[in-house]
Amino acid sequence: MTIERPKADVVICGLGWAGSVMAEELTRAGLNVTAIERGAWRDTSTDFPPAVDPDELRWTTRRELLQPMSVETTTFRNRMDQTAAPVRNWSAYQFGWNVGGAGTHWAGMSWRFTPWDFEVATQTRERYGAAKAEGLQLQDWGVTYAEMEPYYDRFERIAGTSGIAGNINGEIKPGGNPFEGPRAREYPTPPLKDTFWMREFREASERMGYHPFTLPAGNISQAYVNPLGVTMGPCTYCGFCDFHGCGNFSKSSPQACILPALMRRPNFTLLTETEVLHAVKHDDGKTAKGVKFITKEGEEGFQPADIVIITAYQMDNVRLMLLSGIGEQYDPATGKGTVGRNYTYQTCGTVNAFFSDKYTNPFIGGGALAVQIDDFNGDNFDHGNLDFIGGAGIMGYSTNGRPIQNMNNLRPGSKRWGSAWKEAYTRDYNQGAGIFIQGTSMPVRDAYLDLDPDYRDRHGQPLLRLTFDWNRNDQNMLRYLTDRSVEIMREAGGEDMIVENQAEESWNPYKQHSSHTIGGAVMGADPTTSALNPFLQSWDVHNVFVVGASAFPNNGGYNPTVTVGALAVRAAQAIHQTYVNNPGPLVKG
Amino acid sequence: MKRRDLLRSFGAAMTTSALVSPAAAAELKGFPEQTAMSADHLPRPAMKGGGFQVFTQENDRKILAAVFDRLIPSDKFGPSASEAGCLEFLDDQLAGRYGEGRALYLEGPVRPENEEAIMGSPQFTQTPRQRYEDGLKALEAYAKATDGVAFHALSPGRIDEILSGLEEGKIELPNGVKGKWFFELMLQNAREGYLADPLYGGNRDMAGWKMIGFPGARYDYRPYIERQGENLKLEPVSLIPKD
Ligand SMILES: Cc1cc2nc3c(=O)[nH]c(=O)nc-3n(C[C@H](O)[C@H](O)[C@H](O)COP(=O)(O)OP(=O)(O)OC[C@H]3O[C@@H](n4cnc5c(N)ncnc54)[C@H](O)[C@@H]3O)c2cc1C
Ligand code: SF4
């Protein structure tokens, strides 16, 4: 039996961060919106109250909020001459699958990208000459930081982001990040407090002449009412943030910030535990007429709509485009086609160390509780004599002291079992501290996404296949950044350092830590190199919009979500202000 | 009703509803007004005193205890793994969704060599429960073949030697069991049992948390964050307080 649903103005596929932001904008503008979400309804009081949330085994170790591989996984290979294998177990891939998406259990590091990140092709050429980017597939985003500023501001107001401004309308502010793009105003809530390690990191990097600042955080520092009228509470530094929900209404999330308002709007409908299989195009192929879905009970159905918005997270965004025949598959051999192009990741390393006779009290933590320097991020430093472009944020973090997660964070040479392990963990648990290096990732020709020829999901649809390995530019960058981070750790007095440069060995989902998968359906001004125009509208099928980090042509040295949220606000406004009055391409290709 | 009994009856309710009818796909209009916990997010405590569900054979329990108590022996830092309840913990874990491998992708084509080459480590299409079943048999067969005795009868020193050999990949186990990776599985699970909330049957008396100084399921450190670098001497709190 096929369920035929009443037509909606807009169907939204996936109700995570991007989907919630889009739905809120579009319903407020009066459009009739139906969202289809594969996961279940989850909310603070009913699903992760304080009596349920601080449970490391269930939420961090077993990842029970995340989308299991049995629902859908990804296949992976480093090179095109290899046969990809499916990812069978938990890995760096960490996908959301409930109402709220990964936005329910993210950590909350709430960054804007730098102006440079949006124009990396042009600015690199102008500052260093074209040869500097050789081997990289650089392209601008088709939107500048200055154009993005109001949308960043809007998303931060909805999210209640805590932080301290470093640049308000061009004026550098003490205590903030002097390298950030100009902001129109201060953060909605003040910065979080320093832990022991944050203070040590801050003082050490200041002594070295750098510019430390408290991370902008989706862990709210005080009670706050957002523009939608939703009230949030202060973060308690509970230490059960990433992989966990928030029991205090203090983590920026669709649950805490958007759903209470959105769900009450009469022109909004939500189908839960229902998966979009693909979009369906009209016979002429120029527009889509709706999406085909399947319920948890296995009933198939069709949701007709005038506008189809794909907000299923970066990987599934690309997969749904390919399954729906929206745009042409990118071919790395010829460079033709755009869907799957410019997949990037996050180039990361860590420097851990120990402080004898101190108590770092690592259990006092927040998902985004950290101090960072941006002196070596983006193009904030001269690359003239360096063999790479890009950089990384260097942060001293206090995210958690969860005992299972940290059980191997021991001084070098320690055993992992026996009385020797117990002795080492007893000694080191409360003395450890870490620096995280979160770097840019530049696109190259042969890093891309397509559909796997062999492996299928539970509904028999092909899985997405990733072909990726570190490129030389990013490896050189991380080597340089790791050296800078070791110097800071030494200055801070950390002993017995453990240095992990993740790009030294081939990329592999089981060895990485970052969940930040990027690109594959990128935005841009040129339809031969981008799948979407600068309003995230498909160049090929004009009533399809694809919103997520899939749109980034390159990755900044930052977590992606605030940029996803800002792009979502911008796309939604373009839809209700312009597109609905005159459906068609918003930009001439 | 004592808190623990309450949690147990939550758990029981959860099991039946999960068997009868999984939550259905739903059309939501308006804000869902329910305030009761979602059935599948209720705490899932290990049943204490209910006997073993997976390790029903005494010899299996003896092998496991022999291994676990070398991985985490009793010493001045705290009780051994078995004293802390890590066997009961593992039995409960293997009896449920973890043991069934419900989250794993187990579809073919299965190409063990290619998968290991691509991923840098073997991938398994057996569930954790099956891996223990095979692994314990292989340990027993190994002890009989090399030492002529049951595994649990080996001396602690000899068990350490075997565990080190497995860890370093120097010892191969019979019947195709990948010894190094079975060692890693046992090490992971033993320490999980020692460090997870006592709700799950291990970490008895929060011994693992007391050992390292982790305050457990406390949810508010605002009164402490400004006491930087101090020994806060916080007593741990569990989701299942002693009754
Ligand atoms: C542990 C963790 C920590 C993180 N920390 C940070 C951080 O500190 N800072 C940061 O910026 N980012 C962080 N992230 C990333 C962040 O969560 C994502 O960038 C963000 O949620 C992306 O928003 P989205 O709307 O694109 O995807 P999501 O929020 O994941 O939403 C996508 C939704 O689509 C649904 N869906 C998928 N396919 C279908 C389908 N076929 N049909 C119907 N529904 C479907 C999914 O179930 C999901 O609910 C973290 C992620 C994780 C997992
Ligand atoms: S650290 Fe703060 S924001 Fe994160 S879950 Fe805990 S209380 Fe919520």
Side-chain angles (χ1 to χ4, degrees), chain A residues 53 55 64 236 418-419 422 455 508 510, chain B residues 44 71 73 75 109 119 123 192 200 219:
Chain A
D53 191 49
D55 179 345
E64 282 196 28
T236 60
S419 287
K422 292 172 81 176
Y455 292 95
N508 172 327
Y510 291 110
Chain B
R44 256 195 312 261
L71 295 177
D75 54 26
M119 298 298 178
Q123 293 206 94
E192 281 171 3
Y200 297 105
Y219 210 63

mmCIF file with all atom_site columns, all heavy atoms in Angstrom, chain A residues 53 55 64 236 418-419 422 455 508 510, chain B residues 44 71 73 75 109 119 123 192 200 219:
data_model
loop_
_atom_site.group_PDB
_atom_site.id
_atom_site.type_symbol
_atom_site.label_atom_id
_atom_site.label_alt_id
_atom_site.label_comp_id
_atom_site.label_asym_id
_atom_site.label_entity_id
_atom_site.label_seq_id
_atom_site.pdbx_PDB_ins_code
_atom_site.Cartn_x
_atom_site.Cartn_y
_atom_site.Cartn_z
_atom_site.occupancy
_atom_site.B_iso_or_equiv
_atom_site.pdbx_formal_charge
_atom_site.auth_seq_id
_atom_site.auth_comp_id
_atom_site.auth_asym_id
_atom_site.auth_atom_id
_atom_site.pdbx_PDB_model_num
ATOM 1   N N   . ASP A 1 53  ? 20.843 11.242 31.808 1.00 0.00 ? 53  ASP A N   1
ATOM 2   C CA  . ASP A 1 53  ? 21.864 11.726 30.886 1.00 0.00 ? 53  ASP A CA  1
ATOM 3   C C   . ASP A 1 53  ? 23.302 11.400 31.299 1.00 0.00 ? 53  ASP A C   1
ATOM 4   O O   . ASP A 1 53  ? 24.111 11.040 30.444 1.00 0.00 ? 53  ASP A O   1
ATOM 5   C CB  . ASP A 1 53  ? 21.691 13.243 30.700 1.00 0.00 ? 53  ASP A CB  1
ATOM 6   C CG  . ASP A 1 53  ? 22.536 13.746 29.558 1.00 0.00 ? 53  ASP A CG  1
ATOM 7   O OD1 . ASP A 1 53  ? 22.473 13.142 28.473 1.00 0.00 ? 53  ASP A OD1 1
ATOM 8   O OD2 . ASP A 1 53  ? 23.274 14.727 29.749 1.00 0.00 ? 53  ASP A OD2 1
ATOM 9   N N   . ASP A 1 55  ? 25.316 9.140  31.870 1.00 0.00 ? 55  ASP A N   1
ATOM 10  C CA  . ASP A 1 55  ? 25.525 7.697  31.799 1.00 0.00 ? 55  ASP A CA  1
ATOM 11  C C   . ASP A 1 55  ? 26.492 7.456  30.641 1.00 0.00 ? 55  ASP A C   1
ATOM 12  O O   . ASP A 1 55  ? 26.094 7.376  29.479 1.00 0.00 ? 55  ASP A O   1
ATOM 13  C CB  . ASP A 1 55  ? 24.170 7.029  31.539 1.00 0.00 ? 55  ASP A CB  1
ATOM 14  C CG  . ASP A 1 55  ? 24.264 5.511  31.423 1.00 0.00 ? 55  ASP A CG  1
ATOM 15  O OD1 . ASP A 1 55  ? 25.376 4.988  31.260 1.00 0.00 ? 55  ASP A OD1 1
ATOM 16  O OD2 . ASP A 1 55  ? 23.193 4.868  31.477 1.00 0.00 ? 55  ASP A OD2 1
ATOM 17  N N   . GLU A 1 64  ? 24.169 5.366  22.042 1.00 0.00 ? 64  GLU A N   1
ATOM 18  C CA  . GLU A 1 64  ? 22.772 4.997  21.784 1.00 0.00 ? 64  GLU A CA  1
ATOM 19  C C   . GLU A 1 64  ? 21.918 6.112  21.191 1.00 0.00 ? 64  GLU A C   1
ATOM 20  O O   . GLU A 1 64  ? 20.818 5.843  20.730 1.00 0.00 ? 64  GLU A O   1
ATOM 21  C CB  . GLU A 1 64  ? 22.131 4.405  23.049 1.00 0.00 ? 64  GLU A CB  1
ATOM 22  C CG  . GLU A 1 64  ? 22.558 2.965  23.250 1.00 0.00 ? 64  GLU A CG  1
ATOM 23  C CD  . GLU A 1 64  ? 21.679 2.213  24.238 1.00 0.00 ? 64  GLU A CD  1
ATOM 24  O OE1 . GLU A 1 64  ? 20.494 2.550  24.383 1.00 0.00 ? 64  GLU A OE1 1
ATOM 25  O OE2 . GLU A 1 64  ? 22.203 1.291  24.878 1.00 0.00 ? 64  GLU A OE2 1
ATOM 26  N N   . THR A 1 236 ? 25.889 23.768 33.486 1.00 0.00 ? 236 THR A N   1
ATOM 27  C CA  . THR A 1 236 ? 26.407 23.411 34.808 1.00 0.00 ? 236 THR A CA  1
ATOM 28  C C   . THR A 1 236 ? 27.769 22.733 34.727 1.00 0.00 ? 236 THR A C   1
ATOM 29  O O   . THR A 1 236 ? 28.216 22.126 35.686 1.00 0.00 ? 236 THR A O   1
ATOM 30  C CB  . THR A 1 236 ? 25.419 22.489 35.543 1.00 0.00 ? 236 THR A CB  1
ATOM 31  O OG1 . THR A 1 236 ? 25.248 21.300 34.745 1.00 0.00 ? 236 THR A OG1 1
ATOM 32  C CG2 . THR A 1 236 ? 24.076 23.155 35.751 1.00 0.00 ? 236 THR A CG2 1
ATOM 33  N N   . GLY A 1 418 ? 46.257 -4.845 34.319 1.00 0.00 ? 418 GLY A N   1
ATOM 34  C CA  . GLY A 1 418 ? 46.987 -5.295 35.503 1.00 0.00 ? 418 GLY A CA  1
ATOM 35  C C   . GLY A 1 418 ? 47.085 -4.185 36.540 1.00 0.00 ? 418 GLY A C   1
ATOM 36  O O   . GLY A 1 418 ? 46.570 -3.084 36.362 1.00 0.00 ? 418 GLY A O   1
ATOM 37  N N   . SER A 1 419 ? 47.768 -4.495 37.637 1.00 0.00 ? 419 SER A N   1
ATOM 38  C CA  . SER A 1 419 ? 47.947 -3.474 38.677 1.00 0.00 ? 419 SER A CA  1
ATOM 39  C C   . SER A 1 419 ? 48.681 -2.263 38.139 1.00 0.00 ? 419 SER A C   1
ATOM 40  O O   . SER A 1 419 ? 48.476 -1.137 38.608 1.00 0.00 ? 419 SER A O   1
ATOM 41  C CB  . SER A 1 419 ? 48.733 -4.063 39.859 1.00 0.00 ? 419 SER A CB  1
ATOM 42  O OG  . SER A 1 419 ? 47.903 -4.942 40.584 1.00 0.00 ? 419 SER A OG  1
ATOM 43  N N   . LYS A 1 422 ? 46.125 0.090  36.843 1.00 0.00 ? 422 LYS A N   1
ATOM 44  C CA  . LYS A 1 422 ? 45.380 0.743  37.922 1.00 0.00 ? 422 LYS A CA  1
ATOM 45  C C   . LYS A 1 422 ? 46.222 1.839  38.572 1.00 0.00 ? 422 LYS A C   1
ATOM 46  O O   . LYS A 1 422 ? 45.727 2.932  38.865 1.00 0.00 ? 422 LYS A O   1
ATOM 47  C CB  . LYS A 1 422 ? 44.940 -0.303 38.963 1.00 0.00 ? 422 LYS A CB  1
ATOM 48  C CG  . LYS A 1 422 ? 43.896 -1.274 38.405 1.00 0.00 ? 422 LYS A CG  1
ATOM 49  C CD  . LYS A 1 422 ? 43.587 -2.420 39.348 1.00 0.00 ? 422 LYS A CD  1
ATOM 50  C CE  . LYS A 1 422 ? 42.622 -2.041 40.435 1.00 0.00 ? 422 LYS A CE  1
ATOM 51  N NZ  . LYS A 1 422 ? 42.271 -3.230 41.273 1.00 0.00 ? 422 LYS A NZ  1
ATOM 52  N N   . TYR A 1 455 ? 27.448 -2.524 -1.888 1.00 0.00 ? 455 TYR A N   1
ATOM 53  C CA  . TYR A 1 455 ? 26.822 -2.575 -0.565 1.00 0.00 ? 455 TYR A CA  1
ATOM 54  C C   . TYR A 1 455 ? 25.549 -1.734 -0.509 1.00 0.00 ? 455 TYR A C   1
ATOM 55  O O   . TYR A 1 455 ? 25.489 -0.660 -1.099 1.00 0.00 ? 455 TYR A O   1
ATOM 56  C CB  . TYR A 1 455 ? 27.813 -2.109 0.505  1.00 0.00 ? 455 TYR A CB  1
ATOM 57  C CG  . TYR A 1 455 ? 28.962 -3.081 0.692  1.00 0.00 ? 455 TYR A CG  1
ATOM 58  C CD1 . TYR A 1 455 ? 30.168 -2.901 0.026  1.00 0.00 ? 455 TYR A CD1 1
ATOM 59  C CD2 . TYR A 1 455 ? 28.817 -4.194 1.517  1.00 0.00 ? 455 TYR A CD2 1
ATOM 60  C CE1 . TYR A 1 455 ? 31.214 -3.792 0.187  1.00 0.00 ? 455 TYR A CE1 1
ATOM 61  C CE2 . TYR A 1 455 ? 29.857 -5.093 1.684  1.00 0.00 ? 455 TYR A CE2 1
ATOM 62  C CZ  . TYR A 1 455 ? 31.057 -4.888 1.016  1.00 0.00 ? 455 TYR A CZ  1
ATOM 63  O OH  . TYR A 1 455 ? 32.079 -5.780 1.179  1.00 0.00 ? 455 TYR A OH  1
ATOM 64  N N   . ASN A 1 508 ? 41.622 6.776  7.829  1.00 0.00 ? 508 ASN A N   1
ATOM 65  C CA  . ASN A 1 508 ? 40.869 5.563  8.082  1.00 0.00 ? 508 ASN A CA  1
ATOM 66  C C   . ASN A 1 508 ? 39.820 5.891  9.151  1.00 0.00 ? 508 ASN A C   1
ATOM 67  O O   . ASN A 1 508 ? 40.152 6.486  10.169 1.00 0.00 ? 508 ASN A O   1
ATOM 68  C CB  . ASN A 1 508 ? 41.889 4.532  8.586  1.00 0.00 ? 508 ASN A CB  1
ATOM 69  C CG  . ASN A 1 508 ? 41.284 3.271  9.094  1.00 0.00 ? 508 ASN A CG  1
ATOM 70  O OD1 . ASN A 1 508 ? 40.191 3.249  9.652  1.00 0.00 ? 508 ASN A OD1 1
ATOM 71  N ND2 . ASN A 1 508 ? 42.012 2.203  8.912  1.00 0.00 ? 508 ASN A ND2 1
ATOM 72  N N   . TYR A 1 510 ? 38.368 4.409  11.447 1.00 0.00 ? 510 TYR A N   1
ATOM 73  C CA  . TYR A 1 510 ? 38.527 3.904  12.815 1.00 0.00 ? 510 TYR A CA  1
ATOM 74  C C   . TYR A 1 510 ? 39.640 4.617  13.575 1.00 0.00 ? 510 TYR A C   1
ATOM 75  O O   . TYR A 1 510 ? 39.716 4.515  14.791 1.00 0.00 ? 510 TYR A O   1
ATOM 76  C CB  . TYR A 1 510 ? 38.801 2.397  12.804 1.00 0.00 ? 510 TYR A CB  1
ATOM 77  C CG  . TYR A 1 510 ? 37.592 1.590  12.369 1.00 0.00 ? 510 TYR A CG  1
ATOM 78  C CD1 . TYR A 1 510 ? 37.572 0.932  11.146 1.00 0.00 ? 510 TYR A CD1 1
ATOM 79  C CD2 . TYR A 1 510 ? 36.466 1.498  13.183 1.00 0.00 ? 510 TYR A CD2 1
ATOM 80  C CE1 . TYR A 1 510 ? 36.461 0.204  10.739 1.00 0.00 ? 510 TYR A CE1 1
ATOM 81  C CE2 . TYR A 1 510 ? 35.357 0.778  12.787 1.00 0.00 ? 510 TYR A CE2 1
ATOM 82  C CZ  . TYR A 1 510 ? 35.358 0.133  11.574 1.00 0.00 ? 510 TYR A CZ  1
ATOM 83  O OH  . TYR A 1 510 ? 34.259 -0.576 11.180 1.00 0.00 ? 510 TYR A OH  1
ATOM 84  N N   . ARG B 2 44  ? 18.220 1.084  31.893 1.00 0.00 ? 44  ARG B N   1
ATOM 85  C CA  . ARG B 2 44  ? 18.159 -0.360 31.660 1.00 0.00 ? 44  ARG B CA  1
ATOM 86  C C   . ARG B 2 44  ? 19.112 -1.054 32.612 1.00 0.00 ? 44  ARG B C   1
ATOM 87  O O   . ARG B 2 44  ? 20.174 -1.496 32.222 1.00 0.00 ? 44  ARG B O   1
ATOM 88  C CB  . ARG B 2 44  ? 18.556 -0.670 30.217 1.00 0.00 ? 44  ARG B CB  1
ATOM 89  C CG  . ARG B 2 44  ? 17.358 -1.012 29.317 1.00 0.00 ? 44  ARG B CG  1
ATOM 90  C CD  . ARG B 2 44  ? 17.789 -1.650 28.042 1.00 0.00 ? 44  ARG B CD  1
ATOM 91  N NE  . ARG B 2 44  ? 18.836 -0.942 27.410 1.00 0.00 ? 44  ARG B NE  1
ATOM 92  C CZ  . ARG B 2 44  ? 18.784 -0.063 26.385 1.00 0.00 ? 44  ARG B CZ  1
ATOM 93  N NH1 . ARG B 2 44  ? 17.841 0.202  25.844 1.00 0.00 ? 44  ARG B NH1 1
ATOM 94  N NH2 . ARG B 2 44  ? 19.755 0.549  25.876 1.00 0.00 ? 44  ARG B NH2 1
ATOM 95  N N   . LEU B 2 71  ? 43.461 -8.919 34.182 1.00 0.00 ? 71  LEU B N   1
ATOM 96  C CA  . LEU B 2 71  ? 43.355 -7.592 33.557 1.00 0.00 ? 71  LEU B CA  1
ATOM 97  C C   . LEU B 2 71  ? 43.176 -6.522 34.638 1.00 0.00 ? 71  LEU B C   1
ATOM 98  O O   . LEU B 2 71  ? 43.740 -5.439 34.566 1.00 0.00 ? 71  LEU B O   1
ATOM 99  C CB  . LEU B 2 71  ? 42.181 -7.544 32.566 1.00 0.00 ? 71  LEU B CB  1
ATOM 100 C CG  . LEU B 2 71  ? 42.304 -8.461 31.335 1.00 0.00 ? 71  LEU B CG  1
ATOM 101 C CD1 . LEU B 2 71  ? 41.036 -8.371 30.472 1.00 0.00 ? 71  LEU B CD1 1
ATOM 102 C CD2 . LEU B 2 71  ? 43.538 -8.112 30.494 1.00 0.00 ? 71  LEU B CD2 1
ATOM 103 N N   . PRO B 2 73  ? 43.410 -6.904 38.595 1.00 0.00 ? 73  PRO B N   1
ATOM 104 C CA  . PRO B 2 73  ? 43.553 -7.725 39.809 1.00 0.00 ? 73  PRO B CA  1
ATOM 105 C C   . PRO B 2 73  ? 43.132 -6.955 41.062 1.00 0.00 ? 73  PRO B C   1
ATOM 106 O O   . PRO B 2 73  ? 43.008 -5.733 41.035 1.00 0.00 ? 73  PRO B O   1
ATOM 107 C CB  . PRO B 2 73  ? 45.058 -8.028 39.853 1.00 0.00 ? 73  PRO B CB  1
ATOM 108 C CG  . PRO B 2 73  ? 45.709 -7.131 38.870 1.00 0.00 ? 73  PRO B CG  1
ATOM 109 C CD  . PRO B 2 73  ? 44.671 -6.362 38.112 1.00 0.00 ? 73  PRO B CD  1
ATOM 110 N N   . ASP B 2 75  ? 44.093 -5.357 44.385 1.00 0.00 ? 75  ASP B N   1
ATOM 111 C CA  . ASP B 2 75  ? 45.351 -4.823 44.924 1.00 0.00 ? 75  ASP B CA  1
ATOM 112 C C   . ASP B 2 75  ? 45.033 -3.595 45.767 1.00 0.00 ? 75  ASP B C   1
ATOM 113 O O   . ASP B 2 75  ? 43.859 -3.312 46.034 1.00 0.00 ? 75  ASP B O   1
ATOM 114 C CB  . ASP B 2 75  ? 46.330 -4.487 43.786 1.00 0.00 ? 75  ASP B CB  1
ATOM 115 C CG  . ASP B 2 75  ? 45.695 -3.553 42.735 1.00 0.00 ? 75  ASP B CG  1
ATOM 116 O OD1 . ASP B 2 75  ? 44.763 -2.817 43.103 1.00 0.00 ? 75  ASP B OD1 1
ATOM 117 O OD2 . ASP B 2 75  ? 46.118 -3.585 41.563 1.00 0.00 ? 75  ASP B OD2 1
ATOM 118 N N   . PRO B 2 109 ? 28.559 -8.139 0.681  1.00 0.00 ? 109 PRO B N   1
ATOM 119 C CA  . PRO B 2 109 ? 29.562 -9.209 0.662  1.00 0.00 ? 109 PRO B CA  1
ATOM 120 C C   . PRO B 2 109 ? 30.621 -9.070 1.765  1.00 0.00 ? 109 PRO B C   1
ATOM 121 O O   . PRO B 2 109 ? 31.080 -7.963 2.018  1.00 0.00 ? 109 PRO B O   1
ATOM 122 C CB  . PRO B 2 109 ? 30.209 -9.066 -0.718 1.00 0.00 ? 109 PRO B CB  1
ATOM 123 C CG  . PRO B 2 109 ? 29.787 -7.739 -1.259 1.00 0.00 ? 109 PRO B CG  1
ATOM 124 C CD  . PRO B 2 109 ? 28.557 -7.336 -0.539 1.00 0.00 ? 109 PRO B CD  1
ATOM 125 N N   . MET B 2 119 ? 40.647 -1.140 6.249  1.00 0.00 ? 119 MET B N   1
ATOM 126 C CA  . MET B 2 119 ? 40.350 -0.496 7.529  1.00 0.00 ? 119 MET B CA  1
ATOM 127 C C   . MET B 2 119 ? 41.526 -0.539 8.515  1.00 0.00 ? 119 MET B C   1
ATOM 128 O O   . MET B 2 119 ? 41.455 0.038  9.594  1.00 0.00 ? 119 MET B O   1
ATOM 129 C CB  . MET B 2 119 ? 39.125 -1.149 8.182  1.00 0.00 ? 119 MET B CB  1
ATOM 130 C CG  . MET B 2 119 ? 37.858 -1.000 7.360  1.00 0.00 ? 119 MET B CG  1
ATOM 131 S SD  . MET B 2 119 ? 37.394 0.736  7.140  1.00 0.00 ? 119 MET B SD  1
ATOM 132 C CE  . MET B 2 119 ? 35.943 0.570  6.109  1.00 0.00 ? 119 MET B CE  1
ATOM 133 N N   . GLN B 2 123 ? 37.535 -6.421 10.564 1.00 0.00 ? 123 GLN B N   1
ATOM 134 C CA  . GLN B 2 123 ? 36.142 -6.093 10.891 1.00 0.00 ? 123 GLN B CA  1
ATOM 135 C C   . GLN B 2 123 ? 35.424 -7.419 11.131 1.00 0.00 ? 123 GLN B C   1
ATOM 136 O O   . GLN B 2 123 ? 35.733 -8.415 10.507 1.00 0.00 ? 123 GLN B O   1
ATOM 137 C CB  . GLN B 2 123 ? 35.479 -5.369 9.738  1.00 0.00 ? 123 GLN B CB  1
ATOM 138 C CG  . GLN B 2 123 ? 36.050 -4.010 9.474  1.00 0.00 ? 123 GLN B CG  1
ATOM 139 C CD  . GLN B 2 123 ? 35.001 -3.118 8.816  1.00 0.00 ? 123 GLN B CD  1
ATOM 140 O OE1 . GLN B 2 123 ? 34.295 -2.383 9.453  1.00 0.00 ? 123 GLN B OE1 1
ATOM 141 N NE2 . GLN B 2 123 ? 34.898 -3.231 7.524  1.00 0.00 ? 123 GLN B NE2 1
ATOM 142 N N   . GLU B 2 192 ? 35.311 -1.384 30.957 1.00 0.00 ? 192 GLU B N   1
ATOM 143 C CA  . GLU B 2 192 ? 33.980 -0.759 30.942 1.00 0.00 ? 192 GLU B CA  1
ATOM 144 C C   . GLU B 2 192 ? 33.227 -1.132 32.217 1.00 0.00 ? 192 GLU B C   1
ATOM 145 O O   . GLU B 2 192 ? 32.611 -0.292 32.872 1.00 0.00 ? 192 GLU B O   1
ATOM 146 C CB  . GLU B 2 192 ? 33.155 -1.262 29.751 1.00 0.00 ? 192 GLU B CB  1
ATOM 147 C CG  . GLU B 2 192 ? 33.495 -0.631 28.418 1.00 0.00 ? 192 GLU B CG  1
ATOM 148 C CD  . GLU B 2 192 ? 32.791 -1.316 27.244 1.00 0.00 ? 192 GLU B CD  1
ATOM 149 O OE1 . GLU B 2 192 ? 31.994 -2.247 27.466 1.00 0.00 ? 192 GLU B OE1 1
ATOM 150 O OE2 . GLU B 2 192 ? 33.058 -0.924 26.101 1.00 0.00 ? 192 GLU B OE2 1
ATOM 151 N N   . TYR B 2 200 ? 24.803 -0.840 35.792 1.00 0.00 ? 200 TYR B N   1
ATOM 152 C CA  . TYR B 2 200 ? 24.968 -1.961 34.863 1.00 0.00 ? 200 TYR B CA  1
ATOM 153 C C   . TYR B 2 200 ? 25.612 -3.187 35.498 1.00 0.00 ? 200 TYR B C   1
ATOM 154 O O   . TYR B 2 200 ? 26.042 -4.095 34.802 1.00 0.00 ? 200 TYR B O   1
ATOM 155 C CB  . TYR B 2 200 ? 25.770 -1.503 33.642 1.00 0.00 ? 200 TYR B CB  1
ATOM 156 C CG  . TYR B 2 200 ? 25.031 -0.434 32.877 1.00 0.00 ? 200 TYR B CG  1
ATOM 157 C CD1 . TYR B 2 200 ? 25.424 0.900  32.942 1.00 0.00 ? 200 TYR B CD1 1
ATOM 158 C CD2 . TYR B 2 200 ? 23.896 -0.755 32.151 1.00 0.00 ? 200 TYR B CD2 1
ATOM 159 C CE1 . TYR B 2 200 ? 24.715 1.885  32.281 1.00 0.00 ? 200 TYR B CE1 1
ATOM 160 C CE2 . TYR B 2 200 ? 23.169 0.219  31.487 1.00 0.00 ? 200 TYR B CE2 1
ATOM 161 C CZ  . TYR B 2 200 ? 23.587 1.539  31.556 1.00 0.00 ? 200 TYR B CZ  1
ATOM 162 O OH  . TYR B 2 200 ? 22.867 2.504  30.905 1.00 0.00 ? 200 TYR B OH  1
ATOM 163 N N   . TYR B 2 219 ? 25.836 16.424 38.334 1.00 0.00 ? 219 TYR B N   1
ATOM 164 C CA  . TYR B 2 219 ? 25.465 17.105 37.093 1.00 0.00 ? 219 TYR B CA  1
ATOM 165 C C   . TYR B 2 219 ? 25.711 18.602 37.183 1.00 0.00 ? 219 TYR B C   1
ATOM 166 O O   . TYR B 2 219 ? 25.370 19.341 36.287 1.00 0.00 ? 219 TYR B O   1
ATOM 167 C CB  . TYR B 2 219 ? 23.984 16.811 36.795 1.00 0.00 ? 219 TYR B CB  1
ATOM 168 C CG  . TYR B 2 219 ? 23.667 16.794 35.312 1.00 0.00 ? 219 TYR B CG  1
ATOM 169 C CD1 . TYR B 2 219 ? 24.248 15.858 34.476 1.00 0.00 ? 219 TYR B CD1 1
ATOM 170 C CD2 . TYR B 2 219 ? 22.780 17.711 34.764 1.00 0.00 ? 219 TYR B CD2 1
ATOM 171 C CE1 . TYR B 2 219 ? 23.966 15.831 33.119 1.00 0.00 ? 219 TYR B CE1 1
ATOM 172 C CE2 . TYR B 2 219 ? 22.480 17.693 33.409 1.00 0.00 ? 219 TYR B CE2 1
ATOM 173 C CZ  . TYR B 2 219 ? 23.077 16.751 32.592 1.00 0.00 ? 219 TYR B CZ  1
ATOM 174 O OH  . TYR B 2 219 ? 22.783 16.714 31.247 1.00 0.00 ? 219 TYR B OH  1
#
